[in-house]
Amino acid sequence: MQSLPVFLALTGRPVILTGQGEAAEAKRRLLERAGAIVVREEDADARIAIVADGDEATVARLKARGLLVNATDRPALCDFTLPAIVDRDPVLIAIGTGGASAGLAAALRQRLEALLPTHLGDLARALFAARGALRRLWPDSAQRRQAIGKALAPGGAIDPLGFDPDVDFWLSEAPDAMVGELYVLRLRSDDPDDLTLRDARMLAQADRVYHAVDVPAAILDRARVDAVRIVAEGLPTEKSEGLTVWVGI
């Protein structure tokens, strides 16, 4: 990754916006939608700034004050970039290209807008409201994560892309957590795009990933950040046999 995606809580916070025209107005609408207070360059309390006309002198002045700056259409001058956004409040999906192509980010956003149902926000709020019930059903955090992962999986009880997922109904059925298992994933290539849907899902749900030393980092990155990676001896590593990953659930 060339940058770390973050979500900034801007409600009630001042953000400097400079420049005129359509680009500046678009940034103003975005900031106001996020609850920010748009202020002038002279504001002493702001810590973030957007230079909508990409003016280098303005960028230099603001950076000299210690602000993080976005310069429109000038990725080399940016401390952060603004992604294309799919808004299913409180679910936000951000698509960034590191300033390489705003058009590509916009095209991906349009695809996701068509794919993701409007009820995603309702599902997120229902899961938040159900936190107490989830903890009572599964006091162990690993079991709770597995149960939620199983329910949210394709075809699961509350599949986010399914028809009207109902969290209360799911919990009233007293669902079981996923039974612990060891899943063997034999890689056909070093390309993570060659993973089957099931392989990718198991990697994403794994608590532990046992792997040969030469399994590519791009494959292991498909597992959760907090999943334990364990280099295991005795796993087949010959290309003719296929790289092997053991996924512990």
Side-chain angles (χ1 to χ4, degrees):
M1 294 192 302
Q2 300 302 312
S3 58
L4 179 66
V6 298
F7 290 91
L8 298 176
L10 294 180
T11 301
R13 295 177 180 271
V15 177
I16 291 171
L17 175 63
T18 68
Q20 301 292 327
E22 183 180 338
E25 285 306 306
K27 298 298 188 293
R28 178 182 297 276
R29 288 194 297 270
L30 182 64
L31 290 170
E32 290 175 347
R33 191 169 149 195
I37 301 173
V38 178
V39 297
R40 297 179 179 274
E41 181 181 345
E42 297 76 18
D43 190 282
D45 295 325
R47 295 293 177 265
I48 297 171
I50 296 176
V51 180
D53 57 6
D55 181 69
E56 290 191 30
T58 304
V59 170
R61 286 196 304 272
L62 292 168
K63 287 191 174 187
R65 289 166 47 189
L67 276 74
L68 295 176
V69 179
N70 170 271
T72 301
D73 294 331
R74 304 293 297 276
L77 299 179
C78 291
D79 296 311
F80 66 95
T81 56
L82 296 173
I85 297 171
V86 180
D87 186 356
R88 298 290 186 269
D89 184 56
V91 178
L92 291 177
I93 298 171
I95 306 108
T97 63
S101 173
L104 175 58
L108 292 172
R109 179 189 64 78
Q110 291 166 9
R111 297 281 186 92
L112 290 172
E113 285 280 8
L115 175 67
L116 299 175
T118 57
H119 66 232
L120 273 182
D122 294 334
L123 177 59
R125 283 185 284 270
L127 285 168
F128 180 80
R131 288 180 305 166
L134 290 167
R135 289 193 178 97
R136 288 191 294 274
L137 277 170
W138 300 288
D140 179 76
S141 61
Q143 282 191 340
R144 186 164 61 248
R145 183 174 57 246
Q146 291 162 16
I148 296 171
K150 179 181 178 182
L152 292 170
I158 50 172
D159 179 353
L161 303 186
F163 176 74
D164 194 22
D166 189 324
V167 172
D168 290 336
F169 180 77
W170 167 54
L171 293 177
S172 71
E173 295 292 298
D176 294 324
M178 183 180 293
V179 177
E181 63 177 292
L182 199 61
Y183 176 77
V184 180
L185 189 164
R186 293 191 182 278
L187 303 176
R188 293 182 295 278
S189 77
D190 294 349
D191 188 347
D193 287 339
D194 285 337
L195 293 170
T196 67
L197 289 176
R198 177 171 171 77
D199 289 345
R201 180 165 59 86
M202 296 302 283
L203 265 177
Q205 292 180 354
D207 293 313
R208 298 173 304 282
V209 179
Y210 304 88
H211 62 92
V213 68
D214 58 346
V215 170
I219 298 290
L220 298 176
D221 286 346
R222 293 297 179 95
R224 297 194 333 270
V225 173
D226 60 342
V228 179
R229 276 81 163 163
I230 302 169
V231 177
E233 296 182 0
L235 296 180
T237 58
E238 294 295 329
K239 299 297 182 184
S240 59
E241 298 182 42
L243 296 166
T244 302
V245 178
W246 295 69
V247 178
I249 300 294

